[in-house]
Amino acid sequence: EASGNPDDWYKDARKLRNSDPSKALKLLNKVVRAKPSHFKAHKMLGMLYHSRGKTSLAIKHFKKALTIRNDPGIKQFLERIQ
């Protein structure tokens, strides 16, 4: 668990997001702690939190993702859920 790097953890989280979303969330949070500018990790955290009904956490991560990269899809999604 402690080995690897943020990109490896992100890849593992991608594989787990459907089968074990809780583990994916743990990995993704680890990614953004180690590498706060990881756009894809923030985007996936937003998606996972939203799918679990945790809208405020979803919004937080979508907004963070937008500070890293201007993504029209995320902007539209945010407008719908806010």
Side-chain angles (χ1 to χ4, degrees), residues 43 46-47 50-51 55-56 58-59 62-63 66 71-82:
K43 184 175 179 180
M47 293 297 186
H50 181 257
S51 70
T55 309
S56 61
I59 289 168
F62 284 138
K63 283 186 171 172
L66 285 174
D71 184 301
I74 293 177
K75 270 188 176 162
Q76 286 178 340
F77 199 74
L78 260 178
E79 284 167 15
R80 285 208 310 271
I81 66 172
Q82 283 190 99

Side-chain angles (χ1 to χ4, degrees), residues 32-77:
V32 296
R33 275 197 305 275
K35 192 174 176 184
S37 64
H38 200 296
F39 170 79
K40 289 179 178 177
H42 283 291
K43 184 175 179 180
M44 195 182 299
L45 276 163
M47 293 297 186
L48 282 171
Y49 280 130
H50 181 257
S51 70
R52 307 185 106 189
K54 299 190 174 189
T55 309
S56 61
L57 280 168
I59 289 168
K60 177 186 138 186
H61 285 287
F62 284 138
K63 283 186 171 172
K64 179 65 181 169
L66 285 174
T67 68
I68 300 163
R69 185 185 306 163
N70 188 2
D71 184 301
I74 293 177
K75 270 188 176 162
Q76 286 178 340
F77 199 74

